[in-house]
Amino acid sequence: MEVICKAKAFQRTCEEARQKGKSVGFVPTMGALHAGHLALIDALRACGCTGIAVSIFVNPLQFGPGEDLDRYPRTLDADLEACKSRGVDWVFVPSVEEMYPAGFSTKVRVEGLSEGLEGRFRPGHFEGVATVVAKLFALVGPCRAAFGRKDYQQLRLVERLVEDLAFPIEIVPVRTVREADGLAMSSRNRYLSPEERKRATGIVRGLRAAVEAFEKGERLAKSLEALARAPVEASFDAIDYVAVVDPKSLQPIDRIEEKALLAVAARIGQTRLIDNVVLGEERLL
Ligand code: PAF
């Protein structure tokens, strides 16, 4: 496994790999790798990628003032070990200066999809995500890139970005990996105290209640939101949103025709967690 810190070297490596006949798979990450990230690597292998690149970069552009940029877990040695044991070929670990050298002045904004849900509570977040993802895509070049469905809005936004800017990249969406009790895997779960960790299952309990009601025929967004909200209200300190939206446009809907995204963001102490389910498409264990 090769660890690469320079953007040009990473770009050259990916290009050479393709010239040698490799089908490149790419997993962008901010490190603090967990089973959810490893599932992204596995998904790329399963769809035929023969050379896997992972980037590890805590992107300052996507953190707002007062967010957790400084305390975001940085576990590079363990991350490299995890990549190695999963057979990753190249790990790109740039510095902030390498990604955003002096004079860097381009921002990428995906309108519409960026504005609701997370966008309302994290202004500027998706502009930071779109900008770094666009730059990473430009470096990796033609490939398949895996994104987790836990960050559903991010996934939709990246799909839009690829289509609008004609990146020669196929996005591979990957199902959320959950702990045994249902909690969605997240690097931010590390912030939770043991007591908070127990309460954190409130979100998945809410999602399950809504899935169950949906399966019994409930189609009113307000009713499903209320069912999902109750366990979150009981176990979290604050709720940012519990929302049923159209899974493509992410616009609020009143009644579900076929499918809908039910998305939740809530806070326990200093930790903000998000999770979701697509009603009419997935079941939760
Ligand atoms: O999902 C993440 O870890 C980040 O938002 C990403 C896609 C690596 C961009 O920094």
Side-chain angles (χ1 to χ4, degrees), residues 28-30 37 57 59 62 72 125 129 132-133 147 151 154:
T29 82
M30 297 206 299
H37 294 109
F57 178 62
N59 173 33
Q62 68 188 76
Y72 197 84
H125 168 67
V129 171
V132 79
V133 167
F147 285 80
D151 296 293
Q154 169 174 282

Side-chain angles (χ1 to χ4, degrees), residues 82-104:
C83 287
K84 204 167 170 185
S85 65
R86 219 59 169 204
V88 168
D89 299 273
W90 314 284
V91 186
F92 179 45
V93 191
S95 63
V96 174
E97 297 69 36
E98 186 64 18
M99 285 300 277
Y100 305 125
F104 187 96

Side-chain angles (χ1 to χ4, degrees), residues 197-240:
R197 169 65 186 79
K198 280 192 198 133
R199 286 159 56 200
T201 56
I203 294 188
V204 71
R205 284 186 276 116
L207 295 178
R208 281 193 190 122
V211 169
E212 216 169 283
F214 179 83
E215 286 177 350
K216 288 186 183 144
E218 182 60 77
R219 292 294 180 269
L220 284 181
K222 284 270 164 293
S223 311
L224 293 161
E225 285 167 359
L227 282 167
R229 177 177 277 272
V232 189
E233 225 152 40
S235 50
F236 277 67
D237 297 318
I239 296 180
D240 281 355

